[in-house]
Amino acid sequence: MKPAFLEAFPQYCSLLLTGPPGVGKLEYTLALMRTYLEADQKVLFVCIDVSPREVLSYATRGGGDVEGHLGKRLLFVDCFSPSISEEVDEREGVILVSNFSNLEGIGMAITKGGQRLGSPIRVLFYTISTLFLHNTPQALSKFYQIISSRIKTQVGMILYASHEGVNEARHEMLLKSLVDGLVEMRFDDSMTRQIRLHHLRGERVLAQWLSMEGEDEDGGKMASKSVWALSERGGKG
Amino acid sequence: MRAVTGIEAIDKGLKGGFPCPSGILFFSEVIAEKRIFAEQFLAVGLHAGEVCLYLDFYRAPQFVRNALARFGDIPQENLVLVDTVSAQILLPSKETYQVRNPEDRGEILDVIKSVMEEKRPTRVVLDSLDFLTERFEKEDVIEFLTELMQLARSTPCVIGLLFLNWSYEKEDLEQILKHTDYIMEFKTTLKGGVLLNKLRLSGHDPKGGSTSWIPFNFKELLGLVLQFPRVLVTGPYHAGKSTVVQMLSETAVSVDRMGTTVAFDYGSLDISGVSVDLLGTPGQERFEFIFKIFAREVNGILLVVDSTKPGELERAKEMRRLAGEQIPMVVLANKQDLPDALSIGEIRKGLGLEEDVPVVGTVATNGSGLREGLERLIEIIIWGWPNA
């Protein structure tokens, strides 16, 4: 049976995940990936700050055969590896895009990956912040807008991770304004990690901070459960 | 001298390809598949033994080589790559030509200039102009473009620039667009999970016109193929429509009953670098509803008439009216082998056709005239009516 919290995020929507560096955005994103794959859903992971190899190795720590899905229900768009080296193995299930400035290339790779997997797909984008360092805000905003609308109308869900405090405040505001929902993460005074669903278009959310630390479960699952609990459907259930 | 694109239907309309020297902007307003067109343009030149230059701001030379390999074995000795990426990722370059500082417009131009002087390329692709528009002031980009076009003229070569307009407003954009002789515009949409690529060309027509939006796709080993999903083959009862579809097609199916088509004929073929689907409609009036369904969103019409039956020309006229007279059309004056066949002129008169609607004499049973008719139709679909 599908875990109920999977439905916390609709199949077609755009989301931003923000939080300071180190708060666990990658961990949360990986937990989502695992959860979706376990529930027979399809995932396209866009690597800007990490390599597919790292993603697979972290994800495997949570148990389950993530790598077994590669090329089937899991594809990577890898912009990271070609941007640091000229020699990159072309590998089944990995679409390479060289250069962080090649926004059109990234966009086409996501679109093609979407076509290959067949919708609905969960697109996980880690991270959008890095692209700000290599592109003008105008170009990046246009890219963000095109990709978000293309995905949520034709492909599925997209969740962009963004490092808080790295970009200019107005750019962070722009990122928040162009998506349907916002998931926030933070440290509280005792350095406990917390998460909340700030808003989600078309849904009533409770917007309370919940702890991400769970005793008997890994943080990511706990987190997605927390987010589910914060949506109205979760609140009722 | 002309630089062919490798897509026959486009080269024909360009009277043998892009003139040399000239500049083409491979342009899109949003994210679109246009790089593959530029790559094919270069690959076609390489296959023809021309020296070609690819300058990529995004991809390391090895990635460009891999991408070009999709178009078959490329004669490597004629391919010149300018490496701008090694410097961006702080690695030593293995290429003869490299840009050490991609933020330096002068150096970029100097490197291009030395390739042009030393290697005399006939085709050049710059991938892409938006790398420059996102880094330099508009005035500097225009100066760069002006100098680049001068280089193209003195070499001489055909230069193609990829350009996605990330940040220019209309007026600034227009200043950029007027620097090349041709603009090939691209659109990619995702519909029902399927990618749809389209292109259109302007600049070929001194009156400022452009081609229609032409769908295209990439086929392994074939390269880019233009795609017209719907060509309607229609005409009065027993004019020979099914035979036209079957004789033209590489694969065909017919839904018929006692020798006459009651539902439709379907066939497909590749012709002049265009992949065509033919839909044959039944001719009887009682099947008009099927005709109306098919006539929606058709790219063009082959109107088949029986040259021995002057009495049916009225019906043929009516069918054209039903489909819409603005839709590209070619008349196939069929059964020209029969003794009492009307002449082409008589058929034109009987149908009351305008000058620019071609009438082609055909004998569907032996295939004569059919391909010519379809080729003329494709020309009209892409380039518009000859005298429009």
Side-chain angles (χ1 to χ4, degrees):
Chain A
M1 211 180 88
K2 281 187 199 173
F5 59 78
L6 270 178
E7 289 154 33
F9 303 135
Q11 281 189 323
Y12 291 88
C13 68
S14 56
L15 300 155
L16 185 71
L17 167 68
T18 67
V23 78
K25 295 184 295 297
L26 179 59
E27 184 188 341
Y28 177 64
T29 308
L30 292 173
L32 282 179
M33 175 176 91
R34 268 202 316 271
T35 314
Y36 290 138
L37 288 172
E38 277 164 21
D40 289 338
Q41 298 193 8
K42 290 172 278 191
V43 174
L44 179 69
F45 201 106
V46 185
C47 292
I48 307 291
D49 291 15
V50 281
S51 71
R53 199 181 299 271
E54 280 174 280
V55 169
L56 287 173
S57 109
Y58 294 146
T60 314
R61 282 186 213 162
D65 178 24
V66 175
E67 199 157 353
H69 298 299
L70 188 60
K72 299 176 193 116
R73 282 193 289 111
L74 170 66
L75 291 181
F76 284 100
V77 168
D78 183 8
C79 187
F80 178 82
S81 316
S83 300
I84 53 160
S85 161
E86 285 178 350
E87 311 286 330
V88 180
D89 297 338
E90 302 210 14
R91 177 177 180 189
E92 176 60 23
V94 181
I95 306 170
L96 295 173
V97 184
S98 56
N99 215 305
F100 298 125
S101 308
N102 189 2
L103 292 180
E104 184 170 40
I106 300 173
M108 279 310 295
I110 295 175
T111 314
K112 281 178 185 165
Q115 184 191 24
R116 201 171 133 191
L117 284 171
S119 45
I121 299 160
R122 308 286 186 170
V123 182
L124 305 172
F125 196 110
Y126 192 88
T127 68
I128 188 83
S129 311
T130 303
L131 294 186
F132 270 105
L133 307 176
H134 300 268
N135 296 282
T136 61
Q138 291 97 317
L140 196 57
S141 324
K142 190 168 172 181
F143 167 84
Y144 186 72
Q145 212 167 1
I146 296 169
I147 293 300
S148 305
S149 60
R150 202 174 259 191
I151 289 182
K152 75 176 202 186
T153 54
Q154 295 284 334
V155 177
M157 177 198 98
I158 183 160
L159 176 126
Y160 301 92
S162 166
H163 297 298
E164 200 176 284
V166 173
N167 308 315
E168 272 183 48
R170 64 192 172 98
H171 298 152
E172 284 188 8
M173 198 45 88
L174 184 89
L175 290 179
K176 288 177 185 173
S177 69
L178 290 172
V179 283
D180 300 323
L182 175 64
V183 182
E184 292 178 321
M185 296 177 79
R186 72 171 187 191
F187 293 107
D188 73 0
D189 295 340
S190 58
M191 285 300 277
T192 306
R193 300 179 307 161
Q194 295 182 319
I195 188 166
R196 74 168 171 182
L197 182 57
H198 181 277
H199 66 270
L200 180 57
R201 199 168 289 165
E203 303 280 336
R204 280 186 57 191
V205 299
L206 304 173
Q208 281 166 6
W209 287 104
L210 290 185
S211 168
M212 259 190 80
E213 322 290 346
E215 277 179 19
D216 50 354
E217 285 186 86
D218 61 286
K221 270 198 181 169
M222 191 69 198
S224 36
K225 276 192 175 174
S226 308
V227 167
W228 163 240
L230 287 169
S231 74
E232 196 192 29
R233 287 171 298 183
K236 276 182 197 157
Chain B
M1 209 182 86
R2 296 263 164 177
V4 295
T5 65
I7 301 172
E8 214 183 306
I10 290 184
D11 292 331
K12 251 202 248 168
L14 286 169
K15 300 183 177 65
F18 289 107
C20 182
S22 64
I24 317 154
L25 200 67
F26 299 117
F27 167 70
S28 69
E29 267 294 346
V30 295
I31 294 165
E33 180 69 276
K34 52 185 185 277
R35 185 161 286 124
I36 201 158
F37 193 96
E39 287 166 352
Q40 157 140 333
F41 180 67
L42 211 77
V44 167
L46 288 165
H47 283 303
E50 299 175 32
V51 174
C52 298
L53 162 65
Y54 203 107
L55 187 149
D56 200 319
F57 289 114
Y58 299 131
R59 296 181 295 181
Q62 200 43 49
F63 287 106
V64 180
R65 284 199 184 90
N66 291 350
L68 290 172
R70 285 182 295 176
F71 301 92
D73 273 335
I74 299 292
Q76 294 293 335
E77 64 281 8
N78 287 339
L79 172 62
V80 186
L81 296 173
V82 171
D83 183 1
T84 73
V85 171
S86 297
Q88 293 178 55
I89 57 179
L90 308 174
L91 285 172
S93 175
K94 296 177 195 126
E95 301 295 320
T96 317
Y97 296 99
Q98 52 171 305
V99 174
R100 286 191 174 78
N101 179 10
E103 308 278 323
D104 179 353
R105 291 184 329 272
E107 193 197 341
I108 299 169
L109 267 176
D110 285 345
V111 174
I112 296 176
K113 200 173 171 184
S114 39
V115 178
M116 288 196 179
E117 281 166 3
E118 290 158 25
K119 300 283 183 181
R120 298 264 150 212
T122 47
R123 298 181 189 219
V124 175
V125 168
L126 187 120
D127 184 356
S128 63
L129 188 62
D130 38 273
F131 183 90
L132 302 175
T133 57
E134 292 309 300
R135 279 161 184 77
F136 305 122
E137 295 298 323
K138 185 196 75 197
E139 288 69 28
D140 296 333
V141 173
I142 287 175
E143 195 185 301
F144 179 91
L145 265 178
T146 312
E147 287 183 45
L148 193 63
M149 287 305 139
Q150 275 165 8
L151 273 177
R153 273 183 272 280
S154 60
T155 305
C157 65
V158 180
I159 186 157
L161 302 123
L162 284 85
F163 177 47
L164 194 159
N165 179 33
W166 288 114
S167 37
Y168 285 150
E169 298 292 335
K170 196 165 175 270
E171 272 176 28
D172 289 348
L173 176 65
E174 276 167 7
Q175 287 192 34
I176 299 285
L177 294 183
K178 67 182 185 200
H179 274 81
T180 53
D181 307 289
Y182 297 90
I183 295 167
M184 194 166 260
E185 197 178 348
F186 292 82
K187 253 195 325 206
T188 295
T189 49
L190 196 60
K191 227 178 184 177
V194 180
L195 274 181
L196 242 152
N197 303 310
K198 287 181 181 175
L199 62 85
R200 74 172 174 192
L201 179 69
S202 50
H204 63 283
D205 179 357
K207 282 174 271 175
S210 62
T211 64
S212 54
W213 279 106
I214 312 163
F216 71 94
N217 217 333
F218 178 76
K219 286 190 181 173
E220 284 302 329
L221 303 172
L222 275 178
L224 294 184
V225 179
L226 307 182
Q227 294 194 307
F228 291 106
R230 279 164 186 253
V231 167
L232 203 63
V233 181
T234 191
Y237 181 57
H238 264 312
K241 300 175 295 294
S242 299
T243 317
V244 167
V245 174
Q246 280 155 16
M247 290 300 283
L248 273 173
S249 303
E250 285 144 20
T251 53
V253 246
S254 176
V255 181
D256 61 5
R257 181 182 144 80
M258 295 168 75
T260 188
T261 304
V262 294
F264 61 89
D265 293 297
Y266 168 81
S268 65
L269 74 155
D270 286 332
I271 181 170
S272 309
V274 181
S275 158
V276 180
D277 282 0
L278 298 170
L279 290 168
T281 68
Q284 298 98 311
E285 280 176 54
R286 65 194 165 96
F287 294 118
E288 217 152 72
F289 71 97
I290 295 181
F291 177 82
K292 282 182 181 159
I293 294 169
F294 282 161
R296 282 179 213 150
E297 291 177 41
V298 292
N299 300 107
I301 295 174
L302 288 175
L303 184 66
V304 189
V305 296
D306 182 339
S307 305
T308 65
K309 290 186 183 155
E312 284 190 353
L313 294 181
E314 265 313 307
R315 169 81 186 130
K317 247 168 122 170
E318 169 66 10
M319 294 182 91
R320 185 190 181 199
R321 202 189 53 76
L322 272 176
E325 293 185 356
Q326 74 293 348
I327 294 179
M329 184 184 79
V330 167
V331 176
L332 303 183
N334 198 25
K335 309 193 186 177
Q336 283 289 315
D337 56 330
L338 297 183
D340 48 352
L342 297 174
S343 72
I344 303 295
E346 285 166 323
I347 286 180
R348 174 179 292 286
K349 207 172 153 201
L351 289 171
L353 292 176
E354 306 86 271
E355 268 301 291
D356 48 11
V357 180
V359 181
V360 179
T362 60
V363 182
T365 45
N366 69 16
S368 141
L370 298 183
R371 285 182 77 89
E372 186 202 335
L374 184 55
E375 278 171 8
R376 305 238 344 232
L377 180 65
I378 289 168
E379 261 177 62
I380 299 170
I381 294 173
I382 298 179
W383 305 93
W385 297 99
N387 300 315

